[in-house]
Amino acid sequence: MQHERTDPAPWEPVDPDVDLRHDRPVRRTGDTAVLAVIAAGGAIGAVARYLVGQAWPTPIGSFPWATLIINVVGCGLIGILMVVVSEVLTRQRLIRPFLGTGVLGGFTTFSTYTLDIQQLIANRHPGTALLYLAATVAGALIAVWATVTATRTLVAR
């Protein structure tokens, strides 16, 4: 049985690095500029995340507010970025890799999120772990939706 691929909703941006009409993505090789901006952006994002974590440490068994805020803010900024690069700055090919994959990819930390949940459970705080699990997912999704909606409204004006 053959499955027919459908295009995403026409109002949602499509990652230009992936052609959704074919089963195999197109591989690009030798683009050192993209790798360089991702690396530079990732370093900036990771340092920013580290500094937030140092300024706002989480005691054992406490709700990890710093990581929650980092992830929700980062997801919101990704929502803004994706609208801007797909609808305003469409010809600036290094902005998305630098800011999205690099800075915001280095800033957000879903690996720390999962480690925080594991540590909360290990330290017998399952209620806090469950609250944190749900709050992060809900907060991240709401942040993306809200910033995409608001940015599209502003861009339309």
Side-chain angles (χ1 to χ4, degrees), residues 134-152:
T136 299
V137 171
L141 291 172
I142 291 167
V144 170
W145 173 81
T147 57
V148 165
T149 302
T151 305
R152 280 195 177 133

Side-chain angles (χ1 to χ4, degrees), residues 9-142:
W11 59 85
E12 291 302 323
V14 174
D15 187 336
D17 295 328
V18 178
D19 186 348
L20 299 176
R21 295 170 293 183
H22 299 285
D23 289 331
R24 291 189 308 185
V26 176
R27 291 191 175 252
R28 296 180 185 174
T29 58
D31 199 343
T32 55
V34 172
L35 293 175
V37 298
I38 289 171
I44 292 167
V47 167
R49 179 185 70 227
Y50 174 79
L51 292 174
V52 171
Q54 290 298 306
W56 201 354
T58 302
I60 293 175
S62 297
F63 192 90
W65 288 104
T67 306
L68 172 74
I69 290 169
I70 286 168
N71 286 333
V72 171
V73 167
C75 287
L77 292 172
I78 288 170
I80 293 168
L81 175 67
M82 292 314 296
V83 172
V84 170
V85 299
S86 65
E87 297 177 20
V88 179
L89 303 174
T90 58
R91 297 189 189 269
Q92 305 296 321
R93 78 178 191 97
L94 296 178
I95 291 176
R96 184 180 58 89
F98 175 69
L99 291 176
T101 307
V103 175
L104 295 174
F107 181 67
T108 56
T109 177
F110 286 90
S111 58
T112 300
Y113 159 71
T114 58
L115 184 60
D116 289 341
I117 292 168
Q118 180 185 21
Q119 289 176 344
L120 285 166
I121 291 169
N123 290 316
R124 298 191 173 139
H125 299 282
T128 304
L130 188 58
L131 177 63
Y132 177 51
L133 175 101
T136 299
V137 171
L141 291 172
I142 291 167

